[in-house]
Amino acid sequence: ASFPLLCFRSALLTPLIFGLLLQAPCTQPSTITQPNFVLLLADDLGIGDVGCYGNDTIRTPNIDRLAKEGVKLTQHIAAAPLCTPSRAAFLTGRYPLRSGMDATNDYRVIFWNAGSGGLPPNETTFAKILQHQGYSTGLIGKWHQGVNCESRNDHCHHPLKHGFDYFYGMPFTLISDCEPTETPEMDRAFRRKLWLSTQVIGLIALTAVLGRLTGLISVHWKTLTCLAGFSLLFFISWFSSYGFVRYWNCIMMRNHGITEQPMVMNRTTSLILRESISFIERNKHKPFLLFLSFLHSHTPLLTTEKFLGRSRHGLYGDNVEEMDWMVGQVLDAIDKEGLKDGTLVYFASDHGGWLERQEGERQLGGWNGIYKGGKAMGGWEGGIRVPGIFRWPGVLPAGRVIDEPTSLMDIYPTVVHLAGGTVPQDRVIDGRDLLPLLRGAAARSEHEFLFHYCGVHLHAVRWHQKDTGAVWKAHYVTPIFRPPGAGACYDRGFCPCFGEGVTHHEPPLLFELSQDPSEAKPLSADTEPLFDTVIRKIGRAIEEHRRTLTPVPEQLSVANVVWKPWLQPCCGTFPFCWCDKEDDN
């Protein structure tokens, strides 16, 4: 009687055991699949502008939904407080000065499409690695990493040379000069000086001519002709670039071709959204990477009529709420195609909100919550602490909040690892794979030290003391706020990195961020027993970090950022550059 019973049990257990052996372990789905990646990066968005980070007046239900369904990082740090260097670090997983994408001068971002600086061709972006892993890779929106090196069409810095199969968007960045009704934003103070110099030179030339005609001054006509010629040449030398910023910088491209020059602002949002959804639909049957690099919420705050006047924070709030709606449309497209469970979605901002950006009574920049400082400030938290949200249903726990220090540079090794690739072994990669931390397999961030640069100048260092959980931060250089106590550099519009506009601290200002995230109460040797120990520890880390740095060509040197007419992207015959191929379509 026992033999038939044994056979019966075996008949039941065998398929069960076989099925369990075949089933992939539910705790390790990332090892058996290549997820899709949708990376959403806002422009100039402050951490205090988002509902799930404490804002209760600007409505961001779709971003908040991502946080509810995924993992929210509360100490997510940009590698630089400005667009160009921060995005270079994001794309390469390396501090921007390692690739030459941070500046020794005041020109800390790429200023012209016709400059020769940009992300060097020898840098390996995560898109390039994913391309080799069989992914379709697309960039929609803002690039701001340069275009050309030596000729108008060499496109040495172009997204398609850096691992993206498809590009639609701005090779530059959105600026107020793109909107004819707005006050010019680009190099505003320098332009005022050029206008004043032109008027002074012109006035001198006119005075000399009148003096010669009335006999009050004895000057040869040849001298007067030279003076007048110099006045005209001086005017042409700068007005040929600054007088046509909208045509030179405010252009839209599809792959290598220009589609709008200048861009037509009232349809840009709908085109970017359409291109993003179309990319998802075209590539739904194979692994894809979509990097949606928003033009929101950078000035001039491009906002469609549907969202104007909807928020309680003026045009800036309207713009953020429209961006949140765009996030929702992209998430809906992922759901519609049945891709939700196989797609890792990431949302962040490239750096903190721009506190000084105002026009009269209008505040056009973002809010950084409880954190001191903002955009362009390399050390203070408000310039570099940004939203950071990951969602991957079934893999990452929903509703998880992580207070550990993380970096935008961490996206690089995280994405590369999940795609089945390997990070380059011939260079320093500063990012760390976030997956163990996101999934709860690791309790602490792999970052012990994070270095906070302003240009190439080291302003502050963060030490994550893993045994205690303390996060110490030492400031060696801080900007001088004007008016005093105002919390920003309202006299300049941007805080500087060096010179008379900064204060050097010896000993450095020290804060313990887990106790004082607003950096309101600097510690001293009298108030903190560990002060000297912490400062020595950070000092040794700086020495070790600097030993890993090697000299590289400076991409943001004055010679590289100036406008060069022979490098200007042009959809006609230079200088007659204008077209609207979207309207033709």
Side-chain angles (χ1 to χ4, degrees), residues 189-199 234 237-239 241-242:
F190 185 53
R191 260 199 270 195
R192 278 198 287 261
K193 292 177 183 177
L194 290 171
W195 264 117
L196 181 61
S197 300
T198 301
Q199 291 169 344
F234 178 77
S237 69
W238 69 266
F239 194 77
S241 56
Y242 285 106

Side-chain angles (χ1 to χ4, degrees), residues 386-400:
V386 297
I389 303 169
F390 288 85
R391 187 193 76 175
W392 187 3
V395 179
L396 303 183
R400 181 177 172 83

Side-chain angles (χ1 to χ4, degrees), residues 342-552:
T343 302
L344 174 64
V345 179
Y346 167 74
F347 178 85
S349 177
D350 56 356
H351 49 70
W354 190 358
L355 301 179
E356 297 95 341
R357 189 65 177 98
Q358 300 171 330
E359 291 291 348
E361 297 296 317
R362 293 195 305 162
Q363 176 64 34
L364 301 179
W367 182 51
N368 300 311
I370 65 171
Y371 304 108
K372 181 181 290 187
K375 176 178 178 176
M377 304 182 207
W380 294 120
E381 288 291 281
I384 54 178
R385 192 184 289 222
V386 297
I389 303 169
F390 288 85
R391 187 193 76 175
W392 187 3
V395 179
L396 303 183
R400 181 177 172 83
V401 178
I402 295 176
D403 298 324
E404 294 287 297
T406 58
S407 170
L408 266 72
M409 296 184 291
D410 297 338
I411 303 309
Y412 187 97
T414 304
V415 165
V416 167
H417 166 71
L418 286 171
T422 55
V423 299
Q425 302 299 307
D426 61 346
R427 64 198 67 189
V428 176
I429 301 296
D430 298 297
R432 299 291 181 264
D433 184 357
L434 284 178
L435 196 62
L437 184 66
L438 294 174
R439 300 184 67 179
R444 296 293 187 194
S445 163
E446 287 189 38
H447 289 288
E448 184 176 10
F449 296 96
L450 285 170
F451 302 91
H452 307 308
Y453 283 91
C454 186
V456 298
H457 309 276
L458 185 65
H459 274 205
V461 180
R462 176 185 315 250
W463 175 32
H464 179 217
Q465 192 175 359
K466 296 184 181 182
D467 56 343
T468 66
V471 181
W472 305 94
K473 188 169 167 200
H475 287 261
Y476 295 88
V477 183
T478 56
I480 298 172
F481 293 152
R482 287 198 176 92
C489 303
Y490 291 99
D491 59 326
R492 296 170 177 258
F494 268 118
C495 283
C497 296
F498 60 93
E500 296 179 355
V502 303
T503 300
H504 293 262
H505 301 281
E506 182 54 49
L509 299 178
L510 183 66
F511 300 91
E512 209 282 82
L513 295 181
S514 62
Q515 301 297 320
D516 181 19
S518 301
E519 298 173 289
K521 300 174 183 176
L523 304 171
S524 67
D526 296 329
T527 61
E528 175 52 63
L530 295 175
F531 183 90
D532 291 331
T533 303
V534 171
I535 295 303
R536 281 196 301 270
K537 178 79 172 179
I538 292 176
R540 287 194 295 270
I542 293 173
E543 292 174 7
E544 291 177 16
H545 167 67
R546 284 179 171 155
R547 282 196 287 269
T548 70
L549 302 176
T550 55
V552 293

Side-chain angles (χ1 to χ4, degrees), residues 139-210:
L139 167 61
I140 312 294
K142 169 176 173 171
W143 176 235
H144 211 191
Q145 297 294 301
V147 183
N148 298 314
C149 289
E150 297 178 352
S151 65
R152 181 165 293 129
N153 294 311
D154 68 28
H155 290 177
C156 68
H157 303 305
H158 190 279
L160 268 60
K161 292 287 181 72
H162 280 294
F164 292 99
D165 299 315
Y166 184 75
F167 169 60
Y168 177 80
M170 288 190 76
F172 192 60
T173 180
L174 199 61
I175 50 175
S176 291
D177 304 68
C178 298
E179 180 59 73
T181 59
E182 291 288 326
T183 305
E185 170 186 332
M186 188 173 149
D187 233 354
R188 188 183 299 186
F190 185 53
R191 260 199 270 195
R192 278 198 287 261
K193 292 177 183 177
L194 290 171
W195 264 117
L196 181 61
S197 300
T198 301
Q199 291 169 344
V200 169
I201 293 170
L203 185 62
I204 292 171
L206 181 61
T207 302
V209 170
L210 291 175

